[in-house]
Amino acid sequence: MNIIITGASSGIGYATALQLSENPANYVLAISRSEDKLQELKKQSDSLYRHDNLLPLALDIEGNITGNDFGLLQKQIDKLGEIHVLINNAGALLNKPFLELTDEDWLQMYQTNVLGAVHLIKKVLPFMGKTQRGHIVNIGSMGGYQGSSKFRGLAAYSASKAALANLTECLAEELAEQNIAVNCLALGAVQTEMLHKAFPTYQAPVSSQEMAQYIAFFATHGQLFQNGKIVPLSLSTP
Ligand SMILES: NC(=O)c1ccc[n+]([C@@H]2O[C@H](COP(=O)([O-])OP(=O)(O)OC[C@H]3O[C@@H](n4cnc5c(N)ncnc54)[C@H](OP(=O)(O)O)[C@@H]3O)[C@@H](O)[C@H]2O)c1
């Protein structure tokens, strides 16, 4: 499968890209802004599995969709001809009390967590669902899951993840006749730098490698069983 994953330079995205590259039948386009960390990921994948099937691509997903960086992504997509899976995993978190949040803070959260995913989806859609059922997987959060426990300081982050979950449902309907499924995984706590920012003293019961195994399987198989679903994936609160 030809797979694009964003946020591949650290945490859950890094571990998921690595896991996906274990299968020689996959070709993984790994995106984030940090080129050096993506090169590390490629090195690790090549030395562990020796498939040479992971391509790092430095890109700010919030950037201008008609600009040069997105042009490089377009070239890779054109070369592949079909994209089978898109995992919108890149995300940012802000831990700040509501009254201290500025308009810039709100915009920043929505730009990364919602508009970034929209950009990737727009680029990939014309190349999905041609010969096999495509799958768009949006990585959401339990914070953005309706009815879940909420936490102080995470209003902008959680609201942006709720928007991503809602976008998932809307798109599943809009793309229903295009052989493409769209699902959202609402993650609970996974031990990463981002979790440390939100809950500095908390130790999550799940590692990024463990979560990566689930995400890799879901992204490559879930489209055959689910569409328009927001799947809560949580062992703990948070
Ligand atoms: N860890 C948890 O407990 C938890 C819980 C619920 C949901 N999640 C979600 O899971 C996803 C991964 O989180 P994580 O914990 O692995 O976080 P992380 O280690 O902070 O990773 C975030 C990734 O997003 C990338 N990124 C951020 N802004 C970007 C941009 N503008 N353009 C391209 N890439 C960008 C970062 O790379 P660069 O800085 O190199 O660009 C990094 O690779 C996020 O969407 C997060 O909201 C995590």
Side-chain angles (χ1 to χ4, degrees):
M1 284 183 172
N2 296 331
I3 299 167
I4 296 180
I5 178 166
T6 66
S9 65
S10 71
I12 298 162
Y14 185 105
T16 306
L18 195 60
Q19 173 78 36
L20 287 163
S21 73
E22 184 179 9
N23 182 345
N26 289 337
Y27 186 80
V28 182
L29 205 48
I31 291 174
S32 87
R33 292 164 300 186
S34 315
E35 196 156 10
D36 49 339
K37 293 186 188 168
L38 290 178
Q39 288 300 343
E40 265 311 302
L41 167 66
K42 172 154 184 66
K43 234 200 239 167
Q44 197 180 354
S45 165
D46 288 348
S47 80
L48 277 174
Y49 309 124
R50 306 190 178 280
H51 302 322
D52 192 20
N53 62 344
L54 186 146
L55 184 77
L57 188 77
L59 173 70
D60 183 346
I61 58 166
E62 299 161 41
N64 177 2
I65 194 169
T66 58
N68 277 348
D69 290 351
F70 271 95
L72 289 179
L73 169 65
Q74 187 67 58
K75 261 191 198 154
Q76 293 303 328
I77 295 175
D78 288 342
K79 229 196 264 178
L80 293 169
E82 180 163 359
I83 301 299
H84 305 108
V85 175
L86 166 65
I87 307 175
N88 281 314
N89 164 78
L93 178 143
L94 200 55
N95 189 352
K96 229 188 202 189
F98 176 78
L99 280 180
E100 291 173 23
L101 286 168
T102 63
D103 285 2
E104 286 70 33
D105 290 335
W106 280 97
L107 280 173
Q108 182 59 52
M109 283 297 94
Y110 276 77
Q111 245 152 15
T112 313
N113 296 338
V114 185
L115 199 61
V118 167
H119 283 164
L120 266 291
I121 293 168
K122 278 176 110 168
K123 278 287 173 204
V124 161
L125 271 188
F127 296 83
M128 265 198 158
K130 291 177 172 182
T131 64
Q132 54 178 277
R133 191 159 170 76
H135 198 191
I136 297 170
V137 180
N138 294 322
I139 301 298
S141 166
M142 283 307 290
Y145 188 77
Q146 202 174 10
S148 67
S149 301
K150 300 295 185 284
F151 297 93
R152 289 174 188 200
L154 299 182
Y157 171 75
S158 300
S160 71
K161 287 295 187 179
L164 184 65
N166 189 278
L167 174 70
T168 302
E169 293 176 320
C170 296
L171 269 182
E173 182 58 33
E174 193 155 332
L175 304 177
E177 274 147 38
Q178 292 179 43
N179 202 24
I180 300 170
V182 192
N183 290 299
C184 175
L185 297 177
L187 308 191
V190 181
Q191 199 56 45
T192 66
E193 278 170 40
M194 184 185 283
L195 182 82
H196 185 69
K197 222 169 157 185
F199 304 101
T201 57
Y202 182 74
Q203 181 67 36
V206 178
S207 70
S208 25
Q209 289 76 16
E210 287 164 336
M211 186 50 83
Q213 283 184 11
Y214 185 95
I215 296 174
F217 181 80
F218 181 81
T220 50
H221 295 79
Q223 68 274 37
L224 303 177
F225 304 98
Q226 281 165 299
N227 188 23
K229 297 293 182 283
I230 299 155
V231 183
L233 271 187
S234 173
L235 276 179
S236 59
T237 308

